[in-house]
Amino acid sequence: MDLAPTYAAAPPYEQIAAVVSVATQESVHRDVIRVSGSESGIQVYQIYTDTLPNETPLFSIMPLPATTRDDAADDINVERLDLLAEKYVNDRWSREMEARLQIDHRKVEALFPRVTPEQVECLAEVRQQFKESGDNISQMLDDLGIR
Amino acid sequence: MVEKETLQPVFSLPLVENPPFKKNLIKSAICELRFPILTSLRSQPAPDNFSTALRGPYPYYEQGFVIAPGQNEAELAHVFKTRDRHWTVSLRQAAVSLETDTYASFEDFEKKLGKLVEILLPLLDTSFFTRVGLRYVNVVPMHRGELTGWLNPKLHGLSMTPELGHLDRAWSELVGRTEIGRYNLRWGFPNERSHELILDTDFYAEDVDAENLMKVLPKLHDQSFALFRWCLDNKAITLMNGG
């Protein structure tokens, strides 16, 4: 059971100990150090403020959507590896990470099921052929009076 | 076999009506939804699909780094604000929260949250939330040493013990269970500069289906208000009624 409190973007009863403004070439970054007055620890905010444009920039770089089953699976596998790396290398794990890993597992299984629909279809055909062969043999035995 | 944990007594304060007070004491109302982690939210700035979805109602964007209790590394938070900057959406890799410093009513807050969930749910790639928390931080405008009449005597604790002298800090916390999750109550004067009493309630449920979110939230609110009301004494109620 996770006992961490519901997150507040700006902890309401903490004191701002220092506000440092640093001008950069394109924008102003403010480092706001909030020192907790409760037991919730120290939070360091490095805040970059901007207003979102009303329209998507003409030449914005957008990731291309995964177009094939392999691409989709690759993306999911990259995420799985990231999560597993954090688990085993950084020794960091949470319910939210576990949940995502399970979702990813199921997505990959759906994309690459252990038995594909094509294989099931093929098996059904083979089964039908066996059945037809059996019927033929029965008919032959009947015709020859062996049975 | 029934686990021993389920046999523990749970929060059972009677629910009370939430009349329309003329004034509320809420400094901050927050609802946080935790979801299966999305590693794409670690990128800077926020992924385009999130920015595009939120830029209409929340046109201002900030980035913050948060070191949560028990963590060694800072976590990136994408913060979106309304034009009046009174409503904030904070998006982290495994949680989204809606926060306001101008809380008018639960219905209003619930409506805003409903719209936010409608926008974000398709992008979060999940059908459930691992944790749903509703937190109210109230500020009771009273001076230290005047707890009588403002706060339920059961909560006065050591603050009313003159033999201990002046207390620079008087801060209490309790964590309990409810039928659907847990709650956290923190109250007191968190540091020597705070002259008003903080009353912080936080109720939450875990593993909530997205389709049940709007059913769970009113329950958290009702329990929260019941606890809030229980914490207060007559002077605070009179103040809220405009007296």
Side-chain angles (χ1 to χ4, degrees):
Chain A
M1 183 72 75
D2 185 354
L3 297 180
T6 295
Y7 168 83
Y13 38 81
E14 294 179 346
Q15 303 297 320
I16 295 177
V19 178
V20 183
S21 293
V22 182
T24 64
Q25 285 182 337
E26 294 176 1
S27 60
V28 175
H29 294 264
R30 289 180 300 144
D31 288 336
V32 180
I33 301 172
R34 297 176 192 276
V35 179
S36 171
S38 70
E39 293 298 330
S40 56
I42 295 175
Q43 296 193 333
V44 179
Y45 276 62
Q46 186 180 46
I47 297 177
Y48 167 66
T49 308
D50 194 9
T51 307
L52 293 171
N54 291 324
E55 295 175 9
T56 306
L58 193 58
F59 299 108
S60 66
I61 299 170
M62 301 278 287
L64 291 172
T67 51
T68 67
R69 196 173 62 154
D70 285 348
D71 290 340
D74 283 348
D75 288 348
I76 295 168
N77 280 328
V78 166
E79 187 171 63
R80 287 205 300 186
L81 283 174
D82 277 351
L83 293 174
L84 289 170
E86 282 192 39
K87 180 176 183 179
Y88 294 111
V89 179
N90 296 338
D91 196 22
R92 190 169 58 202
W93 202 237
S94 67
R95 300 177 68 233
E96 287 73 25
M97 292 167 89
E98 178 67 37
R100 176 58 61 197
L101 198 60
Q102 292 299 327
I103 289 172
D104 284 349
H105 284 328
R106 288 181 192 184
K107 278 185 182 174
V108 170
E109 274 184 10
L111 286 167
F112 294 100
R114 291 194 176 102
V115 180
T116 64
E118 291 78 17
Q119 287 171 322
V120 172
E121 209 170 287
C122 189
L123 282 171
E125 278 178 27
V126 170
R127 186 166 172 261
Q128 182 60 28
Q129 285 171 5
F130 269 119
K131 186 173 180 300
E132 285 171 7
S133 297
D135 290 346
N136 288 342
I137 290 169
S138 297
Q139 185 64 45
M140 198 187 302
L141 293 174
D142 288 343
D143 292 347
L144 294 171
I146 298 173
R147 190 168 64 168
Chain B
M1 184 179 163
V2 179
E3 288 181 24
K4 190 180 176 186
E5 185 174 277
T6 61
L7 299 175
Q8 300 287 341
V10 296
F11 179 88
S12 59
L13 282 178
L15 301 183
V16 288
E17 270 192 48
N18 188 354
F21 291 113
K22 287 183 180 171
K23 179 182 180 183
N24 74 47
L25 307 176
I26 298 169
K27 184 178 180 184
S28 188
I30 308 129
C31 179
E32 182 195 59
L33 311 172
R34 293 187 193 162
F35 51 80
I37 196 167
L38 272 183
T39 51
S40 62
L41 288 172
R42 293 171 179 170
S43 68
Q44 298 180 53
D48 280 343
N49 52 350
F50 283 92
S51 297
T52 304
L54 290 170
R55 70 160 57 112
Y58 302 93
Y60 290 104
Y61 175 67
E62 297 174 355
Q63 280 176 21
F65 290 92
V66 181
I67 301 174
Q71 282 187 2
N72 298 324
E73 292 176 30
E75 186 182 353
L76 176 66
H78 302 288
V79 180
F80 299 83
K81 295 190 174 188
T82 51
R83 282 186 70 184
D84 63 10
R85 296 180 187 262
H86 287 304
W87 292 81
T88 301
V89 173
S90 180
L91 196 56
R92 294 177 292 146
Q93 60 180 352
V96 58
S97 66
L98 176 68
E99 180 173 353
T100 183
D101 60 0
T102 53
Y103 182 90
S105 67
F106 175 67
E107 289 70 26
D108 178 43
F109 189 81
E110 187 183 30
K111 199 172 159 187
K112 203 98 171 175
L113 184 79
K115 282 184 183 168
L116 178 65
V117 171
E118 202 175 298
I119 291 171
L120 290 183
L121 193 58
L123 306 178
L124 295 178
D125 189 23
T126 184
S127 59
F128 69 99
F129 298 105
T130 53
R131 182 186 186 278
V132 173
L134 185 61
R135 179 178 174 193
Y136 292 103
V137 180
N138 297 274
V139 174
V140 186
M142 46 161 290
H143 292 291
R144 295 176 182 225
E146 292 181 353
L147 291 177
T148 307
W150 289 93
L151 198 64
N152 186 330
K154 290 180 179 172
L155 297 179
H156 290 185
L158 296 174
S159 300
M160 295 290 280
T161 309
E163 293 83 357
L164 295 178
H166 173 77
L167 301 176
D168 288 334
R169 184 170 181 235
W171 191 241
S172 305
E173 177 175 14
L174 60 89
V175 178
R177 295 161 194 272
T178 67
E179 278 181 2
I180 59 171
R182 290 192 182 216
Y183 70 96
N184 185 317
L185 172 66
R186 296 192 284 179
W187 75 100
F189 303 94
N191 57 52
E192 60 185 275
R193 280 167 292 187
S194 55
H195 298 293
E196 296 171 318
L197 179 86
I198 300 290
L199 190 59
D200 182 349
T201 63
D202 184 2
F203 280 74
Y204 63 91
E206 293 187 311
D207 293 330
V208 176
D209 282 341
E211 60 187 25
N212 287 333
L213 172 65
M214 300 319 262
K215 292 176 190 164
V216 169
L217 212 58
K219 288 182 185 171
L220 298 177
H221 167 263
D222 290 347
Q223 290 176 328
S224 188
F225 184 76
L227 180 60
F228 168 74
R229 182 64 188 81
W230 178 85
C231 288
L232 296 181
D233 213 340
N234 291 335
K235 284 183 183 173
I237 301 301
T238 305
L239 177 75
M240 291 168 67
N241 281 325

